[in-house]
Structures are given as C-alpha cells and as structure tokens.
Amino acid sequence: MTDEQIASATEALLRGAEHLVPEGGLVEKLELARRERRQLRVKLGVDPSSPDLHLGHSVVLRKLRQFQDLGHRVVLIIGDFTAMIGDPSGRSKTRPVLTFEETRANSKTYVEQAMKVLDDDPERFELRYNSEWLGQLTFAELIKLASNYTVARMLERDDFTKRFQAGVPIQVHEFLYPLAQAYDSVAVRADVELGGTDQLFNLLVGRDIQRAYGQEPQLVLTTPLLVGLDGVEKMSKSLGNYIGLHEDPATMFKKAMRVPDEMLPRYVELTTDLDAARLSELLAADPVEAHRVYARELVRMYHGQEHVAHAEERYDEVARGGIPDDVPEVEVPASEFEGGQVGVLRLATLAGLTASNGEARRLILNRGLRLDGEVVEDPMLRLTLERPVVMQKGRDTFVRLRRA
C-alpha cells in the first residue's frame, strides 16, 4: 500500500468508530503490514449467548469486512469456553452461564449469519473456538495468567465499581472473564481487536496480557452500540427492538421503515455504505423516501436486489390496509372449541399475537385487533372458524387461523 492508500484506508476504517487505542495506532499497524509484507490478524471474539444476530451485531462485522477487503485476515473466535463463564460487561448482576452444548448449538447459526457480512475466503477468514486453548490450561497456568492483573485494576471497570459500591456480589470467576478474553489475543497473536464500546475494558486487558506474554500489544478499535427501533435501548432481541439479519425481506423492509427519524443518519452510517450526508438531506426534505432508500439498501445487502421490489410492494400493500397473501398460518385444535366455537381472546393468544387473554382484551378495547380487516369491538366474540380468518394486530402483523 502507498502512503495515500494507507491514509484512505484509515479514514474508511475509522468511519463510525468510537475508540482507537493507541491514537495513531491504526496507521502504524497498516505501515507494519506493508513493511513486513504480511496480513494483519484482526480478532473479534463473540460469545454465542443467542443463536440469532441482528443489525446491531453487523456494525462490528462490517468493520471486520473492511479489514478483509484491504487484504487482512479476520480471526473470528467463538467463545464456547468463555460463554460458560458469562461476560459481566454492562451487567448489574452475575450473568447466567451456558452449557458447552448450548454454546456450540448457538455458534452454528451465529457463524452462518455472520457470513452474510464476512468473506469466507480461507486466505482472509479464520474460525476458532477458544476452548482449543482455554480448555487446555492447567491450574498452574491459570494462576500465572491471573498473576498479571490486580484486583484494583479489575475494580476500575465501571460495572464492577458500581456493583462493589452498591454491595452487589461479584463472583471471583467474573474477574477471570477479561483475563480469558485477553488470553485469546495471546493464543491467536492478534494485531488488532475489535468490539463494541461495552468491551473496551476487556480489549485493553488484552493489550496488557499480550505484553506480559512477550507479544506486541494489539490495536483496540471499538464500534458504537446501535440503539434499537424504540430509539432508547440498545438493539436487543429480548427487547423486541431489533432488525434480524435472518429475517425475511418483507419483515426487514418493514422494520427499517420504523427507524426513528432522528436515528436514521446513525443507522445509515453504521450499517450501510450509503452516503450519510446525502441521506440526511433527503430526510429533511422527504422522511418517508429517506427511509425507503435505507430499507431498500438493507434488503439488497442481505437478500439481493431481486427481493427489493417485492418487499416494498408488500409494505405498501399493508400500509393501504390490505391483507398480504403469504401470512403465517396457525391451526386451532378441536380441543379448543366448546359447542363448536372458540373465543376471540383465546384465538389471539393461540395465534401468538398476545401473551394472555388479558392482553388480548386490552388490545381489543384499544381497537388494535382485526378479523379479515374489520376491527374487533366485542371481547366476548366467539367464532366457529368454518372458514379460515385472518387476525391482524396493529398495522402489519397477520396470522391466518383455521381449524386443525
């Protein structure tokens, strides 16, 4: 790479980045790779606590892809061992741990979905499981690892500090998590480690541990945590404010249209290659069209251009009050019928639109439930389901119900 190319690459890699440690270290690493004519080893460690990835995960994955496109080698470490410890980052209490079997099952779909963003060329991609080395450490080796860090340094971590001051228990094994993650960097000889801003402390521990083991410390680069569709909390499947990388094109398009106006420029910057400045100008002039541009790009990126038009048509059809053809179906078993009928509250719950009959009642009283396009006004309504009916919650959630 020429000096000009390094400058251009640095600018691209720092787009949307939050922390860089040390400052100026990215240029130094790129110059090192040029001088030694080798690839940088760029590490991302992930604990497969869930089988599904969402758009928030794509932020750091896209940064990895940028390194790949520059010719460097990504080392994706699946924390099948560290997930059994439980990452305390950002937690106000001890995190539940997973079994080894759960981590391996989750990691399978995690990797499949990550490949929607990453290049799987074996020259630029390496998949590792940290049980390879952490599972082999002897107790003496663990003691040696732990001897390189102090309790005082651990308590500098914000979440540990808050818990300690509040008298909330901190288990000893939680102190081992940052050390285990740091040892991953030693095991794969990482030049660069990426992570979300909530991982900054752990990534910096990695630099210290690499020094202790005689290695050049890694560059640390963090990316922001994407705020979810509610505009408040970080994107999370458990909070229901997410856009899943595995979701079908129509659902992805629909959810992209829900991104709060004030958050759209940030979404564009962190999750696409669209020109954020131009999108901001369009947002000021025509918010709906700005969202459409973003939604089309997301569908194109994760499903291909051929799916964009249908996803948008589906969105428009629902917006006009129409009922889509390809809605999920639920068969209502005969045991649910009394006197040949079943209550609408029970149907809403069986359809998965509400968690309970009480929630279904509140939905009806708020005029939020429809049958074949008509608002349900009577929570005591009973149906025979002699023919299939489409139940609708809100504007765009549909289920077709039929007798089993």
Side-chain angles (χ1 to χ4, degrees):
M1 298 179 73
T2 65
D3 288 346
E4 185 176 341
Q5 288 173 324
I6 287 178
S8 177
T10 301
E11 181 180 358
L13 289 168
L14 292 180
R15 168 178 164 164
E18 193 77 11
H19 301 100
L20 181 67
V21 181
E23 289 186 19
L26 183 55
V27 171
E28 293 177 5
K29 289 292 185 183
L30 293 174
E31 289 178 342
L32 173 69
R34 177 179 64 179
R35 185 168 61 251
E36 297 183 355
R37 297 184 179 181
R38 68 174 179 87
Q39 296 172 304
L40 294 176
R41 294 178 62 77
V42 185
K43 169 201 170 191
L44 173 67
V46 293
D47 284 348
S49 55
S50 169
D52 296 322
L53 300 186
H54 53 63
L55 204 58
H57 296 110
S58 79
V59 177
V60 70
L61 290 173
R62 282 172 47 78
K63 195 61 63 180
L64 284 178
R65 179 58 187 262
Q66 287 180 303
F67 274 101
Q68 285 185 308
D69 290 343
L70 291 169
H72 301 293
R73 187 177 186 85
V74 160
V75 184
L76 180 63
I77 299 178
I78 300 296
D80 57 344
F81 193 93
T82 44
M84 295 188 293
I85 302 175
D87 183 5
S89 296
R91 298 281 170 165
S92 59
K93 58 183 180 180
T94 302
R95 182 174 185 166
V97 300
L98 302 177
T99 67
F100 182 78
E101 290 73 21
E102 287 173 328
T103 65
R104 279 302 176 99
N106 288 349
S107 68
K108 184 176 185 299
T109 54
Y110 193 112
V111 173
E112 289 173 354
Q113 292 170 48
M115 289 303 106
K116 291 177 176 286
V117 179
L118 300 177
D119 183 352
D120 62 359
D121 181 348
E123 292 298 316
R124 300 186 184 189
F125 179 74
E126 183 178 323
L127 177 64
R128 305 290 293 273
Y129 293 85
N130 64 12
S131 59
E132 295 176 33
W133 47 85
L134 294 179
Q136 305 303 314
L137 284 179
T138 66
F139 194 72
E141 290 169 329
L142 178 61
I143 294 296
K144 176 186 175 183
L145 173 60
S147 70
N148 291 297
Y149 229 73
T150 68
V151 171
R153 290 289 303 278
M154 284 293 179
L155 288 176
E156 291 175 7
R157 226 175 82 159
D158 186 58
D159 44 10
F160 282 153
T161 300
K162 290 177 179 177
R163 287 166 62 184
F164 183 72
Q165 293 175 343
V168 177
I170 302 171
Q171 305 297 331
V172 172
H173 78 277
E174 295 183 83
F175 282 163
L176 296 179
Y177 187 94
L179 296 175
Q181 182 174 329
Y183 193 79
D184 291 348
S185 294
V186 172
V188 301
R189 304 190 71 87
D191 294 301
V192 181
E193 182 170 13
L194 272 60
T197 53
D198 60 340
Q199 291 293 311
L200 178 61
F201 181 91
N202 292 351
L203 273 54
L204 293 177
V205 175
R207 286 173 53 83
D208 292 335
I209 298 302
Q210 281 183 304
R211 285 193 192 94
Y213 281 79
Q215 294 184 11
E216 186 70 21
Q218 64 192 12
L219 174 76
V220 167
L221 190 154
T222 70
T223 55
L225 303 180
L226 189 66
V227 174
L229 298 178
D230 57 5
V232 179
E233 301 287 347
K234 77 172 184 177
M235 187 169 285
S236 166
K237 187 174 181 181
S238 63
L239 295 176
N241 62 356
Y242 69 101
I243 300 176
L245 300 188
H246 65 291
E247 292 186 297
D248 63 85
T251 300
M252 183 173 281
F253 192 98
K254 173 185 70 177
K255 288 188 173 183
M257 294 296 291
R258 293 179 183 169
V259 175
D261 287 2
E262 65 275 13
M263 297 301 304
L264 187 61
R266 192 63 163 161
Y267 271 65
V268 169
E269 177 186 31
L270 296 178
T271 67
T272 74
D273 291 327
L274 293 173
D275 188 322
R278 292 185 62 183
L279 244 293
S280 294
E281 293 175 2
L282 180 58
L283 181 65
D286 188 344
V288 173
E289 182 57 26
H291 280 79
R292 287 181 182 272
V293 170
Y294 177 66
R296 291 174 195 137
E297 178 64 5
L298 273 193
V299 174
R300 184 199 67 77
M301 289 168 56
Y302 292 102
H303 297 285
Q305 185 64 42
E306 65 274 17
H307 291 282
V308 174
H310 180 262
E312 188 165 10
E313 289 169 5
R314 168 77 178 271
Y315 174 81
D316 289 338
E317 181 181 19
V318 172
R320 290 192 299 267
I323 297 174
D325 294 327
D326 53 342
V327 300
E329 291 194 353
V330 170
E331 292 189 341
V332 181
S335 60
E336 295 289 343
F337 290 83
E338 294 182 7
Q341 297 179 327
V342 61
V344 68
L345 302 181
R346 179 60 178 160
L347 283 176
T349 303
L350 290 172
L353 300 180
T354 59
S356 65
N357 288 2
E359 183 182 335
R361 182 184 297 275
R362 291 190 294 273
L363 186 64
I364 291 173
L365 294 177
N366 289 319
R367 299 179 63 81
L369 192 71
R370 294 174 180 264
L371 286 174
D372 288 338
E374 298 295 326
V375 175
V376 178
E377 299 182 346
D378 181 8
M380 302 306 294
L381 178 67
R382 297 179 66 79
L383 294 89
T384 62
L385 290 189
E386 292 180 352
R387 62 173 182 81
V389 300
V390 173
M391 182 172 281
Q392 176 184 352
K393 176 184 176 181
R395 294 181 57 186
D396 51 19
T397 305
F398 300 85
V399 176
R400 181 172 283 108
L401 298 162
R402 64 171 71 246
R403 279 179 175 267

